[in-house]
Amino acid sequence: MEIIDMPTSSTENSVQIKVSKIDKSRIEEVDFNNIPFGKIFSDHMFVVDYKDGQWNDPEIRPFGNLSLSPAISALHYGQAIFEGLKAYKDGSGNVSVFRPLDNHTRFNSSAKRMCMPTLPEGLFMDALNQLLTLDREWVPPVDGCALYIRPVMFATTAEIKVKTSEEFKFAIMTCPVGPYYPKPVRVVIETHFARAMEGGIGYAKAAGNYGAALYPAQQAQERGYDQLIWTDSKEHKYIEESGTMNIMFVIDGKLHTPSLETNTILEGITRDSVIRIAESKGIEVLERRILVEELVDYCRSGECTEAFGVGTAATLASIATIGYNGEDFDLPPIGDDSISTILMDELSNIRTGKIRDEYGWMMPIS
Ligand SMILES: *Cc1c(COP(=O)(O)O)cnc(C)c1O
């Protein structure tokens, strides 16, 4: 294994990241035209440990297992958070990451809610930049594919006691990925289980939120749906989000999406991007509390013409059917002039450099 010290790119408080390169890349084994989501990892990962009040010895090394005590508090008490973002290749092979600073901000907001240390912006960005420089070949050159980037932080103090950990590990791993949902999805409005409650951790990308969502999602799958639409935990009267995506509806040609005032909805970066693109195209956007009954009426009357989930993993997932109280509402098929197609195309064109990024969303990898 070759060991080199790469000076970090920018900023005053930039750090030395130790780099140990893999002997032989595994990239030859990957078929970029047929990649399962989240199962194939690029050659390298970034790791850094938090101890004695600071982040120490950042390192890029071959992707591989960690050795940890079974007593680490992340496993017992759930101090674990993550992020998800993507890197894209443009036509000339240049690699850029989509809105990484926003993921960094949200990561630190999740960290605060979970009593975990925040990560300095310089460290996050340098780690990302160096990791992707090293593994740039892993960004798929194929349309509709990207390199999914998964930062994660978890508590590593080995002590059986409910209290905040003193030690943490932060890592970044990456996976080349293709489309998440191959075809439009069937979703069902959940009226019994809840994902998040007011005052809880719904707005944080905290691991426990996802563990708790598995059982309700499995129940929905047994009833023939792909995913749930979550509603508020108190009355199940208001629409919140869908699985791990924010949700949007086209009603009478306007874009409607649940507002974020309750702190129970994850503030998606794709959501924000789609809203801004819609506004730039003169589409009226309404961020508001959306009643389940109201949505069902709009589906029944045909005024709701499109529904879709938006998130980094799935990008934009069209919804074909919405189930509620034993009834299924089928939405019209999506065409080239559907609002969701227009928004999705614009977003992919920005990401792959086909049109100018007037928002400053893409961060090029040096
Ligand atoms: C990550 C996530 C989203 C989407 O956020 P993006 O920043 O667009 O990827 C939506 N809902 C939940 C619950 C999530 O975990």
Side-chain angles (χ1 to χ4, degrees), residues 82-84 103 106 195 202 204-205 210 241-246 265-271 310-313:
F82 66 95
E83 265 305 325
N103 291 90
R106 189 171 65 191
R195 189 191 85 90
K205 247 177 149 67
Y210 304 85
E241 52 183 315
S242 177
T244 58
M245 299 178 292
N246 294 113
I265 297 175
L266 203 287
E267 188 171 346
I269 294 162
T270 319
R271 175 187 182 279
V310 290
T312 298

PDB file of all heavy atoms in Angstrom, residues 82-84 103 106 195 202 204-205 210 241-246 265-271 310-313, ligand 1:
ATOM      1  N   PHE A  82     -26.440  10.495   9.355  1.00  0.00           N
ATOM      2  CA  PHE A  82     -25.790  10.337   8.058  1.00  0.00           C
ATOM      3  C   PHE A  82     -26.230  11.421   7.100  1.00  0.00           C
ATOM      4  O   PHE A  82     -27.062  12.265   7.429  1.00  0.00           O
ATOM      5  CB  PHE A  82     -26.064   8.929   7.499  1.00  0.00           C
ATOM      6  CG  PHE A  82     -27.502   8.658   7.162  1.00  0.00           C
ATOM      7  CD1 PHE A  82     -27.961   8.836   5.866  1.00  0.00           C
ATOM      8  CD2 PHE A  82     -28.410   8.226   8.138  1.00  0.00           C
ATOM      9  CE1 PHE A  82     -29.286   8.587   5.542  1.00  0.00           C
ATOM     10  CE2 PHE A  82     -29.730   7.974   7.817  1.00  0.00           C
ATOM     11  CZ  PHE A  82     -30.175   8.157   6.516  1.00  0.00           C
ATOM     12  N   GLU A  83     -25.671  11.389   5.908  1.00  0.00           N
ATOM     13  CA  GLU A  83     -26.062  12.297   4.826  1.00  0.00           C
ATOM     14  C   GLU A  83     -26.075  11.503   3.534  1.00  0.00           C
ATOM     15  O   GLU A  83     -25.586  10.368   3.490  1.00  0.00           O
ATOM     16  CB  GLU A  83     -25.074  13.480   4.700  1.00  0.00           C
ATOM     17  CG  GLU A  83     -25.506  14.720   5.458  1.00  0.00           C
ATOM     18  CD  GLU A  83     -26.905  15.192   5.079  1.00  0.00           C
ATOM     19  OE1 GLU A  83     -27.280  15.057   3.899  1.00  0.00           O
ATOM     20  OE2 GLU A  83     -27.627  15.672   5.958  1.00  0.00           O
ATOM     21  N   GLY A  84     -26.629  12.087   2.497  1.00  0.00           N
ATOM     22  CA  GLY A  84     -26.613  11.455   1.181  1.00  0.00           C
ATOM     23  C   GLY A  84     -26.526  12.539   0.129  1.00  0.00           C
ATOM     24  O   GLY A  84     -27.328  13.466   0.137  1.00  0.00           O
ATOM     25  N   ASN A 103     -25.530  19.919   2.362  1.00  0.00           N
ATOM     26  CA  ASN A 103     -25.493  18.653   3.113  1.00  0.00           C
ATOM     27  C   ASN A 103     -24.659  18.820   4.379  1.00  0.00           C
ATOM     28  O   ASN A 103     -25.001  18.283   5.432  1.00  0.00           O
ATOM     29  CB  ASN A 103     -24.900  17.529   2.266  1.00  0.00           C
ATOM     30  CG  ASN A 103     -25.825  17.136   1.139  1.00  0.00           C
ATOM     31  OD1 ASN A 103     -25.749  17.692   0.048  1.00  0.00           O
ATOM     32  ND2 ASN A 103     -26.748  16.219   1.412  1.00  0.00           N
ATOM     33  N   ARG A 106     -26.789  20.614   6.956  1.00  0.00           N
ATOM     34  CA  ARG A 106     -27.814  19.739   7.531  1.00  0.00           C
ATOM     35  C   ARG A 106     -27.187  18.687   8.435  1.00  0.00           C
ATOM     36  O   ARG A 106     -27.754  18.320   9.476  1.00  0.00           O
ATOM     37  CB  ARG A 106     -28.617  19.082   6.409  1.00  0.00           C
ATOM     38  CG  ARG A 106     -29.837  18.334   6.903  1.00  0.00           C
ATOM     39  CD  ARG A 106     -30.713  17.882   5.758  1.00  0.00           C
ATOM     40  NE  ARG A 106     -30.039  16.905   4.924  1.00  0.00           N
ATOM     41  CZ  ARG A 106     -30.492  16.496   3.731  1.00  0.00           C
ATOM     42  NH1 ARG A 106     -31.603  17.001   3.242  1.00  0.00           N
ATOM     43  NH2 ARG A 106     -29.838  15.605   3.034  1.00  0.00           N
ATOM     44  N   ARG A 195     -43.823   8.381  11.433  1.00  0.00           N
ATOM     45  CA  ARG A 195     -42.370   8.438  11.273  1.00  0.00           C
ATOM     46  C   ARG A 195     -41.751   9.405  12.286  1.00  0.00           C
ATOM     47  O   ARG A 195     -40.702   9.152  12.849  1.00  0.00           O
ATOM     48  CB  ARG A 195     -42.022   8.935   9.861  1.00  0.00           C
ATOM     49  CG  ARG A 195     -40.567   8.831   9.500  1.00  0.00           C
ATOM     50  CD  ARG A 195     -40.249   9.574   8.208  1.00  0.00           C
ATOM     51  NE  ARG A 195     -40.009  10.979   8.446  1.00  0.00           N
ATOM     52  CZ  ARG A 195     -38.814  11.505   8.706  1.00  0.00           C
ATOM     53  NH1 ARG A 195     -37.740  10.742   8.706  1.00  0.00           N
ATOM     54  NH2 ARG A 195     -38.678  12.784   8.946  1.00  0.00           N
ATOM     55  N   GLY A 202     -37.516  14.099  13.618  1.00  0.00           N
ATOM     56  CA  GLY A 202     -37.880  13.901  12.213  1.00  0.00           C
ATOM     57  C   GLY A 202     -37.084  14.735  11.231  1.00  0.00           C
ATOM     58  O   GLY A 202     -36.828  14.313  10.111  1.00  0.00           O
ATOM     59  N   ALA A 204     -34.028  15.534  11.515  1.00  0.00           N
ATOM     60  CA  ALA A 204     -32.613  15.133  11.498  1.00  0.00           C
ATOM     61  C   ALA A 204     -32.459  13.852  10.680  1.00  0.00           C
ATOM     62  O   ALA A 204     -33.357  13.014  10.665  1.00  0.00           O
ATOM     63  CB  ALA A 204     -32.125  14.913  12.929  1.00  0.00           C
ATOM     64  N   LYS A 205     -31.316  13.706  10.002  1.00  0.00           N
ATOM     65  CA  LYS A 205     -31.061  12.446   9.304  1.00  0.00           C
ATOM     66  C   LYS A 205     -30.393  11.514  10.314  1.00  0.00           C
ATOM     67  O   LYS A 205     -29.200  11.247  10.248  1.00  0.00           O
ATOM     68  CB  LYS A 205     -30.190  12.691   8.070  1.00  0.00           C
ATOM     69  CG  LYS A 205     -30.943  12.414   6.766  1.00  0.00           C
ATOM     70  CD  LYS A 205     -30.107  12.717   5.545  1.00  0.00           C
ATOM     71  CE  LYS A 205     -30.466  11.828   4.387  1.00  0.00           C
ATOM     72  NZ  LYS A 205     -31.816  12.057   3.830  1.00  0.00           N
ATOM     73  N   TYR A 210     -34.993   5.700  10.546  1.00  0.00           N
ATOM     74  CA  TYR A 210     -35.131   4.763   9.434  1.00  0.00           C
ATOM     75  C   TYR A 210     -35.433   3.360   9.944  1.00  0.00           C
ATOM     76  O   TYR A 210     -36.253   2.641   9.358  1.00  0.00           O
ATOM     77  CB  TYR A 210     -33.882   4.861   8.542  1.00  0.00           C
ATOM     78  CG  TYR A 210     -33.733   6.305   8.109  1.00  0.00           C
ATOM     79  CD1 TYR A 210     -33.075   7.233   8.924  1.00  0.00           C
ATOM     80  CD2 TYR A 210     -34.395   6.772   6.991  1.00  0.00           C
ATOM     81  CE1 TYR A 210     -33.047   8.582   8.610  1.00  0.00           C
ATOM     82  CE2 TYR A 210     -34.373   8.119   6.654  1.00  0.00           C
ATOM     83  CZ  TYR A 210     -33.703   9.017   7.471  1.00  0.00           C
ATOM     84  OH  TYR A 210     -33.701  10.352   7.167  1.00  0.00           O
ATOM     85  N   GLU A 241     -44.366  13.277   4.246  1.00  0.00           N
ATOM     86  CA  GLU A 241     -43.454  12.952   3.153  1.00  0.00           C
ATOM     87  C   GLU A 241     -43.627  11.498   2.767  1.00  0.00           C
ATOM     88  O   GLU A 241     -44.507  10.813   3.304  1.00  0.00           O
ATOM     89  CB  GLU A 241     -42.009  13.303   3.500  1.00  0.00           C
ATOM     90  CG  GLU A 241     -41.492  12.748   4.812  1.00  0.00           C
ATOM     91  CD  GLU A 241     -40.063  13.230   5.099  1.00  0.00           C
ATOM     92  OE1 GLU A 241     -39.229  13.201   4.181  1.00  0.00           O
ATOM     93  OE2 GLU A 241     -39.795  13.596   6.256  1.00  0.00           O
ATOM     94  N   SER A 242     -42.832  11.021   1.820  1.00  0.00           N
ATOM     95  CA  SER A 242     -43.022   9.659   1.350  1.00  0.00           C
ATOM     96  C   SER A 242     -41.740   8.863   1.499  1.00  0.00           C
ATOM     97  O   SER A 242     -40.753   9.160   0.828  1.00  0.00           O
ATOM     98  CB  SER A 242     -43.447   9.667  -0.113  1.00  0.00           C
ATOM     99  OG  SER A 242     -43.558   8.338  -0.569  1.00  0.00           O
ATOM    100  N   GLY A 243     -41.763   7.888   2.387  1.00  0.00           N
ATOM    101  CA  GLY A 243     -40.561   7.074   2.596  1.00  0.00           C
ATOM    102  C   GLY A 243     -39.398   7.974   2.959  1.00  0.00           C
ATOM    103  O   GLY A 243     -39.457   8.701   3.942  1.00  0.00           O
ATOM    104  N   THR A 244     -38.363   7.964   2.154  1.00  0.00           N
ATOM    105  CA  THR A 244     -37.227   8.853   2.394  1.00  0.00           C
ATOM    106  C   THR A 244     -37.158   9.934   1.325  1.00  0.00           C
ATOM    107  O   THR A 244     -36.096  10.367   0.924  1.00  0.00           O
ATOM    108  CB  THR A 244     -35.911   8.053   2.418  1.00  0.00           C
ATOM    109  OG1 THR A 244     -35.800   7.369   1.162  1.00  0.00           O
ATOM    110  CG2 THR A 244     -35.901   7.049   3.530  1.00  0.00           C
ATOM    111  N   MET A 245     -38.336  10.355   0.871  1.00  0.00           N
ATOM    112  CA  MET A 245     -38.396  11.438  -0.111  1.00  0.00           C
ATOM    113  C   MET A 245     -39.405  12.480   0.370  1.00  0.00           C
ATOM    114  O   MET A 245     -40.384  12.148   1.020  1.00  0.00           O
ATOM    115  CB  MET A 245     -38.892  10.907  -1.460  1.00  0.00           C
ATOM    116  CG  MET A 245     -38.020   9.835  -2.083  1.00  0.00           C
ATOM    117  SD  MET A 245     -38.718   9.250  -3.641  1.00  0.00           S
ATOM    118  CE  MET A 245     -40.201   8.403  -3.104  1.00  0.00           C
ATOM    119  N   ASN A 246     -39.179  13.715  -0.006  1.00  0.00           N
ATOM    120  CA  ASN A 246     -40.222  14.728   0.166  1.00  0.00           C
ATOM    121  C   ASN A 246     -41.251  14.504  -0.931  1.00  0.00           C
ATOM    122  O   ASN A 246     -40.958  13.862  -1.937  1.00  0.00           O
ATOM    123  CB  ASN A 246     -39.621  16.130   0.091  1.00  0.00           C
ATOM    124  CG  ASN A 246     -38.676  16.398   1.256  1.00  0.00           C
ATOM    125  OD1 ASN A 246     -37.468  16.541   1.070  1.00  0.00           O
ATOM    126  ND2 ASN A 246     -39.216  16.427   2.469  1.00  0.00           N
ATOM    127  N   ILE A 265     -40.574  16.964   9.185  1.00  0.00           N
ATOM    128  CA  ILE A 265     -40.247  16.610   7.802  1.00  0.00           C
ATOM    129  C   ILE A 265     -38.780  16.916   7.562  1.00  0.00           C
ATOM    130  O   ILE A 265     -38.281  17.951   8.000  1.00  0.00           O
ATOM    131  CB  ILE A 265     -41.142  17.419   6.828  1.00  0.00           C
ATOM    132  CG1 ILE A 265     -42.613  17.040   7.056  1.00  0.00           C
ATOM    133  CG2 ILE A 265     -40.732  17.199   5.374  1.00  0.00           C
ATOM    134  CD1 ILE A 265     -43.603  17.864   6.246  1.00  0.00           C
ATOM    135  N   LEU A 266     -38.103  15.998   6.898  1.00  0.00           N
ATOM    136  CA  LEU A 266     -36.704  16.215   6.566  1.00  0.00           C
ATOM    137  C   LEU A 266     -36.636  17.306   5.487  1.00  0.00           C
ATOM    138  O   LEU A 266     -37.326  17.218   4.470  1.00  0.00           O
ATOM    139  CB  LEU A 266     -36.124  14.891   6.049  1.00  0.00           C
ATOM    140  CG  LEU A 266     -34.624  14.607   6.094  1.00  0.00           C
ATOM    141  CD1 LEU A 266     -33.876  15.402   5.050  1.00  0.00           C
ATOM    142  CD2 LEU A 266     -34.018  14.797   7.464  1.00  0.00           C
ATOM    143  N   GLU A 267     -35.791  18.294   5.736  1.00  0.00           N
ATOM    144  CA  GLU A 267     -35.695  19.423   4.803  1.00  0.00           C
ATOM    145  C   GLU A 267     -34.802  19.036   3.636  1.00  0.00           C
ATOM    146  O   GLU A 267     -33.589  19.187   3.675  1.00  0.00           O
ATOM    147  CB  GLU A 267     -35.128  20.629   5.552  1.00  0.00           C
ATOM    148  CG  GLU A 267     -35.159  21.882   4.736  1.00  0.00           C
ATOM    149  CD  GLU A 267     -34.800  23.118   5.569  1.00  0.00           C
ATOM    150  OE1 GLU A 267     -34.787  23.046   6.825  1.00  0.00           O
ATOM    151  OE2 GLU A 267     -34.531  24.157   4.954  1.00  0.00           O
ATOM    152  N   GLY A 268     -35.418  18.512   2.589  1.00  0.00           N
ATOM    153  CA  GLY A 268     -34.651  17.953   1.478  1.00  0.00           C
ATOM    154  C   GLY A 268     -34.009  19.004   0.602  1.00  0.00           C
ATOM    155  O   GLY A 268     -34.589  20.059   0.337  1.00  0.00           O
ATOM    156  N   ILE A 269     -32.823  18.708   0.156  1.00  0.00           N
ATOM    157  CA  ILE A 269     -32.088  19.605  -0.738  1.00  0.00           C
ATOM    158  C   ILE A 269     -32.654  19.471  -2.160  1.00  0.00           C
ATOM    159  O   ILE A 269     -32.720  20.440  -2.902  1.00  0.00           O
ATOM    160  CB  ILE A 269     -30.575  19.305  -0.649  1.00  0.00           C
ATOM    161  CG1 ILE A 269     -30.091  19.668   0.762  1.00  0.00           C
ATOM    162  CG2 ILE A 269     -29.784  20.072  -1.707  1.00  0.00           C
ATOM    163  CD1 ILE A 269     -28.783  19.061   1.178  1.00  0.00           C
ATOM    164  N   THR A 270     -33.107  18.270  -2.508  1.00  0.00           N
ATOM    165  CA  THR A 270     -33.772  18.095  -3.802  1.00  0.00           C
ATOM    166  C   THR A 270     -35.079  18.892  -3.803  1.00  0.00           C
ATOM    167  O   THR A 270     -35.403  19.561  -4.784  1.00  0.00           O
ATOM    168  CB  THR A 270     -34.065  16.610  -4.062  1.00  0.00           C
ATOM    169  OG1 THR A 270     -32.932  15.830  -3.641  1.00  0.00           O
ATOM    170  CG2 THR A 270     -34.322  16.349  -5.536  1.00  0.00           C
ATOM    171  N   ARG A 271     -35.823  18.822  -2.704  1.00  0.00           N
ATOM    172  CA  ARG A 271     -37.074  19.588  -2.556  1.00  0.00           C
ATOM    173  C   ARG A 271     -36.825  21.055  -2.842  1.00  0.00           C
ATOM    174  O   ARG A 271     -37.509  21.675  -3.653  1.00  0.00           O
ATOM    175  CB  ARG A 271     -37.613  19.391  -1.129  1.00  0.00           C
ATOM    176  CG  ARG A 271     -38.830  20.213  -0.762  1.00  0.00           C
ATOM    177  CD  ARG A 271     -39.144  20.045   0.728  1.00  0.00           C
ATOM    178  NE  ARG A 271     -40.349  20.777   1.117  1.00  0.00           N
ATOM    179  CZ  ARG A 271     -40.381  22.077   1.382  1.00  0.00           C
ATOM    180  NH1 ARG A 271     -39.270  22.799   1.310  1.00  0.00           N
ATOM    181  NH2 ARG A 271     -41.512  22.658   1.731  1.00  0.00           N
ATOM    182  N   VAL A 310     -39.314  13.449  -4.099  1.00  0.00           N
ATOM    183  CA  VAL A 310     -38.028  14.022  -4.484  1.00  0.00           C
ATOM    184  C   VAL A 310     -36.996  13.800  -3.382  1.00  0.00           C
ATOM    185  O   VAL A 310     -37.239  14.066  -2.218  1.00  0.00           O
ATOM    186  CB  VAL A 310     -38.138  15.542  -4.805  1.00  0.00           C
ATOM    187  CG1 VAL A 310     -38.895  15.771  -6.103  1.00  0.00           C
ATOM    188  CG2 VAL A 310     -38.792  16.318  -3.677  1.00  0.00           C
ATOM    189  N   GLY A 311     -35.846  13.284  -3.776  1.00  0.00           N
ATOM    190  CA  GLY A 311     -34.767  13.037  -2.821  1.00  0.00           C
ATOM    191  C   GLY A 311     -33.506  12.667  -3.593  1.00  0.00           C
ATOM    192  O   GLY A 311     -33.589  12.329  -4.775  1.00  0.00           O
ATOM    193  N   THR A 312     -32.372  12.731  -2.917  1.00  0.00           N
ATOM    194  CA  THR A 312     -31.096  12.481  -3.594  1.00  0.00           C
ATOM    195  C   THR A 312     -31.022  11.083  -4.190  1.00  0.00           C
ATOM    196  O   THR A 312     -30.621  10.912  -5.339  1.00  0.00           O
ATOM    197  CB  THR A 312     -29.937  12.678  -2.597  1.00  0.00           C
ATOM    198  OG1 THR A 312     -29.964  14.036  -2.174  1.00  0.00           O
ATOM    199  CG2 THR A 312     -28.594  12.359  -3.219  1.00  0.00           C
ATOM    200  N   ALA A 313     -31.416  10.079  -3.421  1.00  0.00           N
ATOM    201  CA  ALA A 313     -31.266   8.696  -3.893  1.00  0.00           C
ATOM    202  C   ALA A 313     -32.147   8.458  -5.116  1.00  0.00           C
ATOM    203  O   ALA A 313     -31.675   8.021  -6.167  1.00  0.00           O
ATOM    204  CB  ALA A 313     -31.609   7.720  -2.782  1.00  0.00           C
TER     205      ALA A 313
HETATM  206  C1  LIG B   1     -32.762  12.376   2.893  1.00  0.00           C
HETATM  207  C2  LIG B   1     -34.206  12.451   3.030  1.00  0.00           C
HETATM  208  C3  LIG B   1     -35.021  13.206   2.168  1.00  0.00           C
HETATM  209  C4  LIG B   1     -34.510  13.885   0.935  1.00  0.00           C
HETATM  210  O1  LIG B   1     -33.497  14.826   1.176  1.00  0.00           O
HETATM  211  P1  LIG B   1     -32.483  15.205   0.008  1.00  0.00           P
HETATM  212  O2  LIG B   1     -31.610  16.236   0.610  1.00  0.00           O
HETATM  213  O3  LIG B   1     -33.278  15.734  -1.113  1.00  0.00           O
HETATM  214  O4  LIG B   1     -31.766  13.961  -0.362  1.00  0.00           O
HETATM  215  C5  LIG B   1     -36.373  13.282   2.446  1.00  0.00           C
HETATM  216  N1  LIG B   1     -36.923  12.630   3.503  1.00  0.00           N
HETATM  217  C6  LIG B   1     -36.163  11.899   4.338  1.00  0.00           C
HETATM  218  C7  LIG B   1     -36.820  11.234   5.493  1.00  0.00           C
HETATM  219  C8  LIG B   1     -34.794  11.775   4.121  1.00  0.00           C
HETATM  220  O5  LIG B   1     -34.075  11.019   4.925  1.00  0.00           O
END
